[in-house]
Amino acid sequence: MFEKYLDISEEVKSAIESNRPVVALESTIISHGMPYPKNVETALSVERIIRDHGAIPATIAILNGRLKVGLSADEIEMLGKASDVVKASRRDIPFIIAKGLNGATTVASTMILADLAGIRVFATGGIGGVHRGAETSFDISADLIELAQTNVAVICAGAKSILDIGLTLEYLETHGVPVIGYQTDELPAFYNSKSGFHVDYRVDHPTELAQAIRAKWDLNLKGGLIVANPIPKEYEMDAHLIDEAIKEAVRQQMAAGVKGKESTPFLLAKVKELTGGDSLESNIQLVYNNAKVGAQLAVALSQTK
Ligand code: PSU
Ligand code: MN
């Protein structure tokens, strides 16, 4: 049934059919996460890194109401330039289809489309989570609910501290979502390799990771996993600087009364503004690092039976 809404590129389709490694990539990071032309350059470099590590990239978005798995370079360029792209999470998908719009997929909706296509590994920068002050605002990202139910492993650089990281971990624990430290005992905090919070399990090799993921899904333990991969040391940012920027961004969000789907883009843009170009370069480098580990995991999964 869903096939009538879905366009999978020839290359990605043939890779999936022959059990070759594929890594899904989101598009909110292109449309709403970075300025043009850095967004397009980064998206294309991420694809190259995945190929260099033996997997096929599948960038995901909604174009003119069609669910697209495996964008062409031209489509990525178009998405990176366009200003009318809707941030598309789970609840937006049907309406973007019906209205024939362009949608940039979040972690949640990228997981949904990857799952429909049969892709099990997805690399990104940061995930959404439980926001600071969620006990009154109820602001909890749909990414977490998706992780609880959709069988896709998400490689990220941990959670950005625009979120309440402690509450995010509690939510994930309640919903049975494993949080794995890739070569680390501590959950990374996006711009920094350390957050002060421990992970459930540390895994040092893609093969071990692949075995755990296989076992989870073989046992029908539904849902995704978070593979938290720390930003490389040389690109880490000053923790105090980031902390101050985030506090100020949250203050401005409260003052402006920004809510709902606008809250995360607002906070991300403010943090970027307050930290200047440094945070953009760190952001790009951590995504590259996640693309590499994503490809290694996809390769290991395709070799695990
Ligand atoms: N966090 C980041 N960078 C991002 C996002 C979150 O550090 O680009 C994006 C992702 O696409 C994520 C989405 O899925 O924001 C979450 O939005 P919300 O909190 O509205 O669910
Ligand atoms: Mn939210």
Side-chain angles (χ1 to χ4, degrees):
M1 200 47 160
F2 64 82
E3 288 87 352
K4 71 178 186 194
Y5 303 105
L6 188 63
D7 297 330
I8 308 178
S9 74
E10 282 307 320
E11 185 192 26
V12 170
K13 191 186 288 172
S14 88
I16 295 166
E17 282 166 3
S18 53
N19 188 38
R20 279 180 287 134
V22 179
V23 178
L25 298 161
E26 63 155 300
S27 45
T28 294
I29 195 169
I30 303 174
S31 292
H32 304 281
M34 291 179 192
Y36 181 82
K38 271 277 180 214
N39 56 355
V40 174
E41 283 165 32
T42 302
L44 296 175
S45 299
V46 164
E47 292 209 339
R48 203 167 321 117
I49 290 166
I50 289 171
R51 290 185 195 281
D52 289 347
H53 289 84
I56 305 288
T59 300
I60 291 177
I62 309 176
L63 298 181
N64 302 313
R66 299 289 304 167
L67 308 181
K68 296 277 182 188
V69 175
L71 296 190
S72 68
D74 286 346
E75 287 170 328
I76 289 175
E77 172 79 19
M78 190 276 276
L79 206 60
K81 265 188 185 156
S83 56
D84 61 343
V85 184
V86 182
K87 178 182 160 194
S89 197
R90 168 178 272 267
R91 68 175 183 175
D92 307 290
I93 296 172
F95 300 92
I96 295 173
I97 291 175
K99 292 177 182 292
L101 301 176
N102 295 324
T105 52
T106 63
V107 168
S109 53
T110 304
M111 288 177 76
I112 294 169
L113 300 198
D115 179 52
L116 289 178
I119 302 171
R120 299 287 151 222
V121 178
F122 162 25
T124 186
I127 55 163
V130 180
H131 281 255
R132 295 184 186 192
E135 60 274 24
T136 50
S137 70
F138 268 51
D139 191 349
I140 300 174
S141 174
D143 292 354
L144 298 187
I145 290 88
E146 210 57 53
L147 279 157
Q149 60 182 343
T150 301
N151 295 6
V152 174
V154 180
I155 295 92
C156 66
K160 202 173 276 176
S161 48
I162 57 169
L163 304 172
D164 186 319
I165 294 181
L167 291 186
T168 301
L169 288 172
E170 291 294 347
Y171 189 98
L172 291 166
E173 182 188 1
T174 301
H175 290 272
V177 180
V179 179
I180 301 148
Y182 189 71
Q183 300 177 346
T184 180
D185 295 301
E186 202 169 315
L187 183 75
F190 202 84
Y191 296 120
N192 302 99
S193 60
K194 300 212 178 333
S195 68
F197 291 91
H198 280 266
V199 289
D200 301 334
Y201 295 97
R202 173 191 175 128
V203 172
D204 288 327
H205 198 276
T207 308
E208 188 186 356
L209 195 52
Q211 281 165 348
I213 293 172
R214 267 276 173 253
K216 176 170 161 65
W217 293 333
D218 281 349
L219 294 168
N220 203 18
L221 299 171
K222 282 209 173 53
L225 309 88
I226 293 176
V227 179
N229 182 34
I231 182 171
K233 275 264 166 288
E234 60 271 36
Y235 299 110
E236 275 190 277
M237 292 191 68
D238 180 71
H240 179 72
L241 198 115
I242 286 291
D243 222 51
E244 289 304 310
I246 286 170
K247 273 190 204 135
E248 176 58 20
V250 172
R251 204 194 56 74
Q252 290 190 26
Q253 182 208 351
M254 299 301 165
V258 177
K259 293 195 268 263
K261 71 187 282 185
E262 298 311 327
S263 72
T264 296
F266 180 92
L267 289 168
L268 295 178
K270 280 290 167 214
V271 171
K272 214 173 306 162
E273 191 184 304
L274 292 163
T275 53
D278 291 359
S279 67
L280 180 58
E281 188 52 30
S282 292
N283 197 345
I284 291 170
Q285 294 298 333
L286 67 83
V287 174
Y288 290 169
N289 194 39
N290 295 342
K292 181 183 83 179
V293 172
Q296 291 168 338
L297 173 59
V299 169
L301 260 180
S302 74
Q303 292 165 350
T304 327
K305 263 284 137 247

